[in-house]
Amino acid sequence: ALPIYIFDQEGKFIASWPQFSRPSGIYIDQNDVIYVTDSESESVSKNHDGWKRGIRIGSAKDGAVKYFIPDPIDKSDTTSAAEGIAVDKDGIIYGAEVGPRTLMRYVMK
């Protein structure tokens, strides 16, 4: 697993966040919501079985994961879920999927 490492402004290690799985892309919005993509668990990253690919959404303040958007393909031997991520001012999530060469649009309800 490759957790997210948290450091302060002086470079001092604060925490390790494995709860976001195997990060491929990270986006933090103006409200400290963190969006983390995982495109390789249970696929090309054989050392990360048991985790589901997709997008985890949570708090950049305390690391709590609040939502999960699963990859529509349950298991794959290639990259399939979003690797890049962006969120617009209306909260619409855009996931750049390298394997399928698509851009997915997710609207939270």
Side-chain angles (χ1 to χ4, degrees), residues 37-77:
T37 62
D38 173 1
S39 66
E40 295 189 5
S41 289
E42 291 199 332
S43 63
V44 296
S45 181
K46 299 299 181 198
N47 64 346
H48 214 237
D49 285 348
W51 287 84
K52 299 294 180 192
R53 288 185 319 277
I55 300 170
R56 287 170 177 79
I57 304 166
S59 169
K61 291 182 179 181
D62 64 11
V65 176
K66 299 180 181 182
Y67 308 101
F68 178 63
I69 302 170
D71 184 348
I73 300 171
D74 190 39
K75 288 195 178 190
S76 173
D77 59 359

